[in-house]
Amino acid sequence: MPTELEELVEFLRHGNTQIRHIGTTAILRVTEVENLMQLLSHGKPRPLFEIPARDLQDQAAHSTKNALTILVNISGDPDVLKELAEDDVFLETVLSRVTDPKEATANTLSMLLANLTKSPPLERLIKLERTAIPALLPAESKLAIAQLIEIYNLGSGWNKDADYDYLGYVFADLAK
């Protein structure tokens, strides 16, 4: 018989954004509770970050903020951290949203990125190339780290909804 938390995880798989929002809101309340860690230890972390990652790509989703907070909370689990850090598509999604000057959740995304850089696979961020962002100087830079440094320096001048303070932790972890 599934636990209440396992039943909530099923809400995250639903196609309706409003139902996923209900699921993320409910799970958000328990993401720091031992029950969540028990669920993760039973090899079921994938749905907990797969579906929030889908909402992460949908800027109109009401559950995006909750989904990100869940991801921040569960990324402390070594198995979840490893899986998130090794997922190139997920990393690009996070980077594209962090570097978007209109992203309302950029600070939470920066916090998630700071958690991810605690994993050795994220050392690739130093040499990772992505599409250049013309509005950033130097505009020709395709290095993800250079783009992050520039938006960190610009802070709210780049995005009025963000200060990017958590990127300081990203740089500190990568400098080790």
Side-chain angles (χ1 to χ4, degrees):
M1 179 150 179
T3 66
E4 183 179 341
L5 187 58
E6 288 172 324
E7 289 177 7
L8 287 172
V9 169
E10 291 303 315
F11 277 62
L12 300 179
R13 293 189 174 108
H14 199 280
N16 185 317
T17 303
Q18 292 173 334
I19 292 174
R20 286 196 314 271
H21 177 66
I22 292 168
T24 59
T25 301
I27 289 175
L28 180 60
R29 293 184 186 126
V30 295
T31 56
E32 295 179 3
V33 178
E34 187 64 32
N35 290 342
L36 180 66
M37 289 302 127
Q38 288 175 354
L39 181 64
L40 293 173
S41 68
H42 287 93
K44 299 181 183 180
R46 195 80 194 159
L48 285 172
F49 63 85
E50 246 177 27
I51 305 306
R54 180 173 71 193
D55 280 343
L56 178 60
Q57 293 173 349
D58 178 9
Q59 292 201 27
H62 298 291
S63 56
T64 301
K65 176 74 170 148
N66 289 345
L68 284 171
T69 304
I70 290 169
L71 289 171
V72 168
N73 290 344
I74 68 174
S75 63
D77 179 83
D79 293 333
V80 173
L81 178 61
K82 182 179 185 297
E83 211 163 327
L84 288 173
E86 292 176 351
D87 188 334
D88 291 333
V89 174
F90 180 76
L91 178 60
E92 178 53 37
T93 300
V94 171
L95 289 172
S96 67
R97 296 284 297 270
V98 166
T99 58
D100 181 347
K102 295 178 183 160
E103 177 57 54
T105 60
N107 280 337
T108 309
L109 285 157
S110 297
M111 190 182 310
L112 177 60
L113 192 57
N115 285 358
L116 295 179
T117 55
K118 295 183 182 346
S119 178
L122 253 284
E123 290 173 4
R124 72 184 188 278
L125 193 59
I126 295 170
K127 296 180 181 177
L128 181 69
E129 289 194 4
R130 14 185 350 256
T131 305
I133 303 171
L136 287 177
L137 296 174
E140 67 276 356
S141 181
K142 291 185 178 185
L143 287 175
I145 194 72
Q147 294 171 359
L148 292 174
I149 290 170
E150 185 61 24
I151 64 168
Y152 177 73
N153 288 332
L154 293 171
S156 61
W158 176 252
N159 179 339
K160 66 178 177 53
D161 295 319
D163 56 26
Y164 296 104
D165 287 347
Y166 282 96
L167 289 182
Y169 296 106
V170 170
F171 306 137
D173 285 332
L174 291 175
K176 288 182 185 176

